[in-house]
Amino acid sequence: MAESYLKILSGKITSLELSTSKGVSLECKHFFSGAALYANGKICASLTPAGFGLKLPVEVRNRLIEEGDGKELRYFETAPVKREYVALSQSVVDDPERLQSLLNLSIGYVVDRERAA
């Protein structure tokens, strides 16, 4: 089951031609029952049965939720909310330009936090 998520996520990442700065490496790997995108070894996105989740700044997460384009990410119904993540609506996932923009933001957010640490 996880293999199909890895294939879908890898295909999306490849097709979007994400802009990464020099020194940023991206890698898709298995992640529990799905797949995850790592930027410099830090997870920034996941695709699982819970949806397409992105790690984003609080103001972006809140805006997506308020506009109905996302919801809090829980990997299963009784799990705690995954802080710093939002599960994107299918309409956002299906919009290549919007998904590309949000993925670039997520990658930058994760890499900048890594560099600041």
Side-chain angles (χ1 to χ4, degrees), residues 18-45:
L18 299 173
S19 60
T20 58
S21 60
K22 187 175 182 179
V24 175
S25 67
L26 299 178
E27 183 179 16
C28 289
K29 299 193 283 188
H30 288 283
F31 176 76
F32 298 107
S33 60
L37 173 66
Y38 294 79
N40 288 355
K42 302 290 182 184
I43 189 168
C44 61

Side-chain angles (χ1 to χ4, degrees), residues 4-113:
S4 63
Y5 288 102
L6 181 59
K7 186 175 180 179
I8 292 166
L9 181 62
S10 296
K12 280 205 177 286
I13 299 308
T14 301
S15 71
L16 292 174
E17 300 177 16
L18 299 173
S19 60
T20 58
S21 60
K22 187 175 182 179
V24 175
S25 67
L26 299 178
E27 183 179 16
C28 289
K29 299 193 283 188
H30 288 283
F31 176 76
F32 298 107
S33 60
L37 173 66
Y38 294 79
N40 288 355
K42 302 290 182 184
I43 189 168
C44 61
S46 64
L47 181 62
T48 69
F52 199 119
L54 292 181
K55 189 172 193 173
L56 293 166
V58 66
E59 59 276 358
V60 178
R61 291 191 317 267
N62 289 342
R63 187 184 76 238
L64 287 165
I65 291 168
E66 288 169 8
E67 294 174 354
D69 290 330
K71 63 182 182 178
E72 293 179 326
L73 178 61
R74 294 175 192 265
Y75 285 115
F76 51 94
E77 192 174 319
T78 58
V81 171
K82 188 73 173 140
R83 293 182 309 174
E84 295 192 89
Y85 287 83
V86 63
L88 301 175
S89 69
Q90 193 60 48
S91 64
V92 174
V93 174
D94 291 341
D95 181 338
E97 289 178 16
R98 190 137 185 235
L99 184 59
Q100 179 181 33
S101 174
L102 288 168
L103 275 163
N104 282 328
L105 182 60
S106 179
I107 292 164
Y109 179 65
V110 168
V111 170
D112 289 346
R113 288 175 53 108

